[in-house]
Amino acid sequence: METFLGKTARHIYAKHQDDLGLICIVLPNRRAGLFLKKHFSALIAKPVWSPDIYSIEDFIEKLSGMRKADPIALLFELYGVYRETMKDKAETFDEFARWGQILLQDYSEIDRCLADAEQLFGNLGNIKEVEHWSLAGDALTDFQRSYLQFFTSLGTLYTHLNERLREKNLAYQGMAYRAVAGSLAGSSSALPWKKIFFAGFNALSAAEEKIFSFLVQSGQAEVLWDTDAYYLDDHRQEAGKFLRLAIPRLKKDPKQELLWKENLLSTDNKRITIIGAPRNVAQAKTAGAIVQELAGSPSSTAIVLADEKLLFPVLHSLPADLQYVNVTMGYPLRSTPPAALVDIVFGMQETARKFSRGRKGELRFYHKDLLRLLAHPYIRAMLSGSGLGYRLSSQIVSRNYVFASRADLEKFAEEGQKADLEKLRPLLDPWSGVPDALRCLEALAELLRTVFLQEEEKRSLEAEYIFGFSKIFKRLASLNSDYGYITDTRTLHALLRQIISSTTLPFYGEPLSGLQVMGVLETRTLDFENLVILSVNEDVIPTGKTQHTFIPYDLKKAFGLPTYSDKDAVFAYHFYRLLQRAKNIYLLYNTEADGLGNGEKSRYIAQLQYELPRVNPNVVIEEQFLQPEDMRLEKGEIRIEKSQEVLEKLYENAEQGFSPSALNIFKSCSLHYYFRYVAGLHEQDEVEETIGADTLGTVVHRVLEELYAPYRKRALGTEDIRKMKEAAPALAEKYFSELFSDGELRFGKNLLTLKVAVRFLLNFLDAEIKFVSEREKAGEKLIIEELEYPLGCSLDVKGRKINLSGHADRIDRVGSLLRIVDYKTGRAEDKELRFDDWEAIVTETRLNKSFQLMTYAYMYAMGRSGRAETAVSSGIISFRELSAGLKTVKAAGSDLLDSEKLDQFGKQLAALLEKLIDEKQPFTQTTDLEVCAWCGFKTICNRN
């Protein structure tokens, strides 16, 4: 296969082999120059001076004599002009930075197209005035006047920016193009080359066309085109749109031979495989499999990524034995770990300043920000030696610190972790302004650099990431020192995000060897025998109609500025030009639609399928669809069989004792039981920011236990309970303070919940006073027998001893009646505590409270005598229904649980336990989806 650059090298060498050092070759990009030099080296047999090879941007910069302004400095320069123009009406730098880059792009485009800027911006101002014109003659609002003033000032900003940059001998890209196009006629005699070759260009801007045309007509230049008759001669093909316009204009002689028009798409043998793959990961895996099939020719193979986000999935999917891979596209900094770390650090500081309530000058950081910071892989690597990251995270969660200061973290750290804690100091010191923030970021970058440079071979990529960010931090610090426009950290953060999102990290390697992985624009002038193109989806190839610009479509059209339809034609050329010389072509696209409607294959695929076979009988096109694995789980589909290992775990649980709550989980959903009690899965512990229902119930239980403890085993009087009322508020605050810092209980929802807990306790004790008083009048005493009493008993199930265990909140005696009492801060409905069918109690989830109370009564009776002989009453005291007193479980219409009822319950309990340990009955999902609503494992079961 003869490539375009190979043909270019031969053509130039044949004409200028004796004066090659006096030749200049201009290409669309720098990458092409490396490959062109390789082709020259294959032709040259003796030492010669190399021709000058430039990308078009470098060529223009050289001819202009001006230095290219970097994008960040250019934004600062534009803001200076903007402030001088708008004076006191100027927006802050933060607000300006959001649209300043768009304006700079418009200015550059206007200059590249040699549009009359004054006339264009005058028309733009008029358009905006017409949009706000009122037939009724209504006066403009202040906002409308400000809006119009902005658009009428764009031309002034353009003029003043150009003047300021010329004074400093700086230029943005379009400005340099306009300067060269305007001055070339007067400086052409000074050009240092004998001949200039422009090779591989397609859509020329007006400035480029003027420059090329002047040099061609003056005999100083020649244009070498890379085109094919298939799309050049057919006016319906958008890929040849700009070539059909430019080629006639750049011919010195209308009869001159066109160099070069191929006829490969219509005659060459090609095999095109179109693959619809579900999701981007499937595309990456498929690309890796294709490369494996083409293992014999990696140097003639290219993977082209229309979507840059696929770079790392593709790299991870390539065959492990592939020796060389050359990545020619940059990797976006916004997708690297340091970008997330920068956001975390700013979020920590901003949230701490807004919401922390510490001593004066002390920042208290929100726990989620701290946990995100400590979980970041770079911070974990920095603190890995001492285990400080894990220690701080666990302490924050276990001690329930919603906000934590640096002093708190020092308290959490162990003695051997102090040195690592010192590394976090720059991140924990308060920022008094932008200089502090930039110093913090630079210090963090330096710390991380030393961490990753210790393992340079393994961590070189991370070191490159950090180096890229370090350069940005230092550049911003320098620019802000010179200009002083960034006045607060919020502006700094917004600007950093903008810079990071538009910056890519280059990869370095051997560009001429091995498999090439590249973006679409990097493929210009390059040819490969084997092509694998990913993300050939509509709105990716070609891109969508969205354009960030202040100039309306019609105005762009009138002044010759490129519109989205022009960009479609440019993409079409890149696509078809890639296919010209390729033999084996794989076009992959994502078949899965997302919320924005993606999942449609590109129109270019449809065009190929319909049009190409009609003109080229040597083309074979086949389409494949990869079938995704069905991830949707139907009811009952998840089944966990009881292996020997699972049975051993169940027997271990049986020896320790099954609790009523565990058995309730099993009868509600046996798979839930497996996850929690067999597999040992638990929901991740989290800091409880506001007092939850569980914590409220725990505190109420602990307070009541402490209040009643001195009165065990004796009759309780009303005066005793009045003393408890006096002590209750202080005890509630004491137990809440053990879970929350004092500051967290003094405001907001937590303070309200504390007051609710105290009110629960006082209302309960008032109800107790009333109850004791009524019992005393009836000649009965209330005696507290036990508090937080451990219950337990054993059953024989299939010849195996099964233990039960649990705790009763309180066991008391009223007259001759023994009561087992369970405190609940929630409600207990009557229908949950009433049943007639004994089988229902172990099958219906609505009777879970009844099951728990019956199990308590059964364990108490069986644990004391070995037989269910003691009649008891078991019930709930609900703090939300204190007037109802003890709401007892009623079996067959009676709340007195005698030996006959407990024996009946025992039979059902044994049947449930037999099912639990039966090796033939697997763990399965519940069919009652209401049970899944609050289950922590519903994502595993796909029951979200």
Side-chain angles (χ1 to χ4, degrees):
M1 178 186 74
E2 185 176 34
T3 66
F4 169 75
L5 291 178
K7 185 183 283 192
T8 298
R10 276 197 307 103
H11 174 78
I12 296 172
Y13 187 70
K15 284 188 171 186
H16 299 282
Q17 57 183 304
D18 296 327
D19 54 2
L20 206 56
L22 298 176
I23 301 303
C24 174
I25 306 168
V26 182
L27 299 162
N29 56 13
R30 292 191 182 109
R31 177 69 52 182
L34 294 170
F35 285 84
L36 184 60
K37 288 178 181 177
K38 180 182 179 183
H39 288 295
F40 271 119
S41 69
L43 297 171
I44 298 169
K46 60 181 181 180
V48 296
W49 290 107
S50 171
D52 288 336
I53 300 176
Y54 293 99
S55 70
I56 182 63
E57 288 85 2
D58 294 338
F59 179 72
I60 295 297
E61 185 177 351
K62 181 175 180 62
L63 294 188
S64 73
M66 294 184 285
R67 291 182 295 112
K68 182 182 177 182
D70 79 72
I72 306 175
L74 201 55
L75 193 65
F76 278 78
E77 291 288 356
L78 179 60
Y79 185 65
V81 171
Y82 169 73
R83 288 216 310 182
E84 291 172 4
T85 303
M86 303 300 289
K87 302 188 185 307
D88 58 337
K89 294 184 179 179
E91 295 180 345
T92 64
F93 189 75
D94 178 25
E95 295 165 322
F96 163 82
R98 298 173 191 172
W99 53 264
Q101 289 284 9
I102 299 173
L103 189 57
L104 286 170
Q105 292 169 15
D106 283 341
Y107 286 167
S108 187
E109 201 168 67
I110 288 167
D111 284 342
R112 282 173 60 98
C113 296
L114 301 181
D116 186 327
E118 182 179 352
Q119 189 178 359
L120 187 150
F121 287 119
N123 277 276
L124 179 59
N126 293 337
I127 289 170
K128 297 301 177 182
E129 286 179 3
V130 170
E131 287 177 356
H132 289 81
W133 176 67
S134 170
L135 188 64
D138 296 335
L140 295 176
T141 64
D142 290 341
F143 175 79
Q144 288 173 320
R145 281 194 293 271
S146 176
Y147 180 79
L148 292 177
Q149 183 184 9
F150 168 74
F151 278 97
T152 54
S153 71
L154 294 184
T156 305
L157 293 177
Y158 168 84
T159 303
H160 290 173
L161 176 64
N162 276 260
E163 291 172 355
R164 176 176 288 202
L165 292 177
R166 274 193 292 270
E167 289 173 2
K168 298 183 178 183
N169 198 38
L170 294 173
Y172 52 84
Q173 190 183 86
M175 181 181 170
Y177 273 74
R178 188 188 283 271
V180 172
S183 64
L184 193 58
S187 62
S188 60
S189 58
L191 293 179
W193 305 289
K194 182 179 179 179
K195 192 80 171 182
I196 301 170
F197 289 90
F198 297 103
F201 287 88
N202 168 40
L204 300 177
S205 67
E208 288 170 330
E209 188 172 314
K210 186 174 181 180
I211 295 166
F212 288 16
S213 179
F214 175 82
L215 293 172
V216 168
Q217 298 303 323
S218 64
Q220 298 176 79
E222 184 178 349
V223 183
L224 304 176
W225 304 99
D226 186 7
T227 183
D228 191 277
Y230 174 75
Y231 53 81
L232 181 64
D233 295 342
D234 185 350
H235 286 254
R236 295 171 299 177
Q237 291 286 350
E238 59 184 342
K241 173 182 176 180
F242 290 105
L243 292 172
R244 290 190 289 271
L245 293 172
I247 289 173
R249 296 173 184 169
L250 294 180
K251 276 188 176 183
K252 188 175 182 181
D253 181 355
K255 297 180 181 179
Q256 180 184 352
E257 180 188 0
L258 175 61
L259 299 177
W260 291 283
K261 179 170 74 171
E262 307 276 10
N263 195 26
L264 299 173
L265 285 170
S266 300
T267 61
D268 214 6
N269 291 319
K270 297 183 186 297
R271 185 175 190 85
I272 301 175
T273 306
I274 300 164
I275 303 174
R279 304 292 181 190
N280 288 334
V281 172
Q283 287 191 78
K285 295 293 184 185
T286 304
I290 293 170
V291 170
Q292 183 72 57
E293 291 178 10
L294 302 170
S297 53
S299 295
S300 58
T301 302
I303 296 178
V304 181
L305 306 179
D307 183 352
E308 63 185 15
K309 294 193 293 293
L310 284 180
L311 177 58
F312 274 96
V314 165
L315 291 180
H316 287 300
S317 301
L318 294 177
D321 57 353
L322 196 62
Q323 190 171 7
Y324 297 109
V325 177
N326 183 53
V327 180
T328 65
M329 60 190 296
Y331 189 66
L333 276 185
R334 67 175 178 271
S335 301
T336 62
L341 184 55
V342 167
D343 283 340
I344 290 170
V345 171
F346 272 96
M348 277 176 53
Q349 290 281 341
E350 290 167 6
T351 305
R353 284 197 304 274
K354 285 181 184 177
F355 300 113
S356 68
R357 294 171 170 82
R359 294 183 294 275
K360 190 175 182 181
E362 179 191 51
L363 279 186
R364 298 178 68 232
F365 298 97
Y366 185 45
H367 72 279
K368 287 187 178 178
D369 291 333
L370 284 172
L371 294 176
R372 274 195 291 267
L373 177 74
L374 295 169
H376 191 280
Y378 283 13
I379 299 299
R380 286 167 61 186
M382 188 171 74
L383 305 177
S384 61
S386 64
L388 176 65
Y390 174 77
R391 170 73 180 175
L392 294 181
S393 298
S394 61
Q395 289 293 305
I396 289 169
V397 173
S398 63
R399 299 190 183 201
N400 211 67
Y401 269 66
V402 180
F403 288 90
S405 66
R406 190 174 69 195
D408 294 325
L409 299 182
E410 289 171 353
K411 179 175 63 179
F412 298 158
E414 295 177 337
E415 190 58 37
Q417 298 170 333
K418 300 295 183 183
D420 271 354
L421 184 61
E422 193 63 23
K423 295 176 183 177
L424 294 177
R425 179 178 289 275
L427 307 180
L428 303 176
D429 284 338
W431 294 349
S432 59
V434 172
D436 279 353
L438 286 169
R439 278 193 293 270
C440 166
L441 294 173
E442 289 183 45
L444 176 61
E446 181 60 25
L447 271 172
L448 293 173
R449 187 185 68 83
T450 57
V451 170
F452 290 115
L453 285 181
Q454 291 172 5
E455 300 179 65
E456 190 167 354
E457 290 185 4
K458 295 181 181 178
R459 306 291 182 88
S460 59
L461 193 58
E462 280 76 9
E464 287 295 331
Y465 293 158
I466 295 161
F467 179 65
F469 276 85
S470 183
K471 287 197 298 184
I472 293 174
F473 300 152
K474 291 181 185 298
R475 182 67 175 136
L476 276 177
S478 173
L479 286 170
N480 200 49
S481 175
D482 293 340
Y483 293 89
Y485 295 151
I486 309 176
T487 56
D488 58 73
T489 55
R490 188 185 62 156
T491 301
L492 175 64
H493 189 197
L495 185 60
L496 265 174
R497 276 185 167 175
Q498 189 176 36
I499 294 168
I500 290 167
S501 68
S502 60
T503 305
T504 56
L505 184 74
F507 289 91
Y508 298 96
E510 176 48 61
L512 303 176
S513 299
L515 175 74
Q516 301 288 323
V517 180
M518 49 188 22
V520 174
L521 293 181
E522 283 80 23
T523 65
R524 288 175 292 181
T525 74
L526 303 182
D527 297 296
F528 302 93
E529 186 172 325
N530 307 307
L531 273 178
V532 184
I533 310 177
L534 279 70
S535 299
V536 190
N537 284 79
E538 196 66 18
D539 289 341
V540 181
I541 296 182
T543 54
K545 296 181 179 181
T546 302
Q547 287 186 296
H548 299 292
T549 178
F550 287 111
I551 306 171
Y553 176 86
D554 291 338
L555 203 57
K556 278 178 172 279
K557 197 83 172 170
F559 281 84
L561 272 60
T563 62
Y564 62 80
S565 59
D566 295 326
K567 292 184 178 179
D568 285 356
V570 171
F571 258 91
Y573 171 76
H574 293 323
F575 181 76
Y576 281 100
R577 195 214 65 79
L578 256 180
L579 271 53
Q580 275 174 221
R581 299 174 181 88
K583 304 294 183 184
N584 301 303
I585 301 158
Y586 298 87
L587 305 177
L588 280 65
Y589 68 95
N590 180 9
T591 59
E592 296 297 297
D594 60 18
L596 301 176
N598 293 335
E600 180 184 357
K601 64 184 176 184
S602 171
R603 74 187 81 155
Y604 297 156
I605 293 179
Q607 285 175 213
L608 282 178
Q609 289 175 302
Y610 180 74
E611 297 172 356
L612 196 56
R614 296 187 174 197
V615 298
N616 187 352
N618 299 318
V619 167
V620 177
I621 299 178
E622 62 173 302
E623 187 166 11
Q624 303 172 5
F625 294 95
L626 299 183
Q627 296 299 322
E629 293 181 6
D630 189 4
M631 298 301 292
R632 292 169 298 176
L633 301 174
E634 302 298 332
K635 292 180 180 179
E637 186 174 343
I638 298 182
R639 295 166 59 90
I640 307 294
E641 300 294 337
K642 290 175 181 169
S643 64
Q644 189 58 40
E645 185 180 1
V646 170
L647 289 171
E648 290 298 329
K649 182 63 179 176
L650 287 174
Y651 298 152
E652 181 184 324
N653 292 348
E655 187 173 341
Q656 293 172 351
F658 293 113
S659 67
S661 57
L663 294 176
N664 262 331
I665 288 174
F666 174 74
K667 72 188 188 71
S668 299
C669 176
S670 65
L671 187 64
H672 184 170
Y673 179 91
Y674 169 80
F675 286 144
R676 183 165 180 179
Y677 294 101
V678 179
L681 301 181
H682 295 279
E683 293 182 64
Q684 184 177 356
D685 288 338
E686 294 181 350
V687 173
E688 191 176 5
E689 295 185 45
T690 56
I691 300 169
D694 290 348
T695 303
L696 174 64
T698 299
V699 169
V700 168
H701 279 65
R702 291 171 69 180
V703 170
L704 289 177
E705 182 185 5
E706 185 166 340
L707 288 175
Y708 279 91
Y711 303 98
R712 286 177 64 246
K713 301 296 184 181
R714 68 180 182 83
L716 194 65
T718 55
E719 285 303 314
D720 299 326
I721 303 173
R722 289 191 179 94
K723 291 178 182 177
M724 295 183 200
K725 283 187 64 177
E726 294 174 4
L731 280 177
E733 189 165 339
K734 166 192 166 186
Y735 284 116
F736 275 124
S737 297
E738 291 178 2
L739 301 171
F740 294 85
S741 63
D742 185 60
E744 308 301 334
L745 294 174
R746 296 301 172 197
F747 59 89
K749 186 177 177 182
N750 286 346
L751 177 60
L752 293 176
T753 308
L754 170 62
K755 292 184 177 296
V756 167
V758 171
R759 178 47 52 197
F760 272 173
L761 290 165
L762 296 179
N763 288 347
F764 171 77
L765 294 171
D766 283 338
E768 285 280 84
I769 290 173
K770 181 180 178 183
F771 179 76
V772 169
S773 177
E774 290 173 350
R775 293 300 93 203
E776 286 177 345
K777 290 177 181 178
E780 295 178 338
K781 298 289 184 181
L782 171 62
I783 299 174
I784 306 298
E785 297 285 351
E786 302 289 351
L787 297 167
E788 293 298 323
Y789 185 65
L791 300 170
C793 69
S794 299
L795 286 83
D796 183 76
V797 179
K798 297 181 68 175
R800 180 175 293 276
K801 180 182 176 184
I802 303 293
N803 294 324
L804 301 177
S805 65
H807 280 81
D809 292 337
R810 165 174 144 183
I811 297 176
D812 62 29
R813 189 180 298 277
V814 179
S816 60
L817 177 64
L818 187 79
R819 306 190 310 172
I820 300 173
V821 178
D822 189 38
Y823 298 134
K824 296 286 185 189
T825 51
R827 292 188 179 276
E829 298 184 19
D830 290 342
K831 64 181 181 181
E832 297 176 285
L833 301 175
R834 186 178 298 152
F835 66 94
D836 296 316
D837 182 358
W838 284 104
E839 288 187 7
I841 200 168
V842 292
T843 57
E844 295 186 18
T845 56
R846 70 174 181 86
L847 295 176
N848 281 356
K849 288 186 175 70
S850 292
F851 178 84
Q852 185 170 6
L853 294 173
M854 289 295 301
T855 308
Y856 285 157
Y858 185 80
M859 286 192 292
Y860 179 81
M862 294 292 289
R864 290 175 67 88
S865 65
R867 291 182 60 200
E869 293 179 347
T870 306
V872 296
S873 180
S874 184
I876 291 171
I877 292 180
S878 170
F879 287 84
R880 297 180 187 272
E881 302 174 273
L882 290 171
S883 60
L886 182 68
K887 303 186 72 171
T888 55
V889 59
K890 292 181 172 57
S894 171
D895 59 2
L896 190 63
L897 305 178
D898 56 20
S899 59
E900 182 181 349
K901 290 180 180 176
L902 292 176
D903 284 342
Q904 284 277 12
F905 175 74
K907 293 175 183 177
Q908 298 301 324
L909 189 57
L912 180 67
L913 293 170
E914 183 176 345
K915 181 180 176 183
L916 175 56
I917 64 171
D918 186 351
E919 62 185 32
K920 295 181 181 179
Q921 294 203 36
F923 295 104
T924 59
Q925 291 171 288
T926 180
T927 56
D928 183 0
L929 296 184
E930 290 185 9
V931 172
C932 303
W934 302 104
C935 177
F937 303 109
K938 61 186 175 184
T939 52
I940 300 177
C941 298
N942 202 31
R943 288 277 177 88
N944 271 340

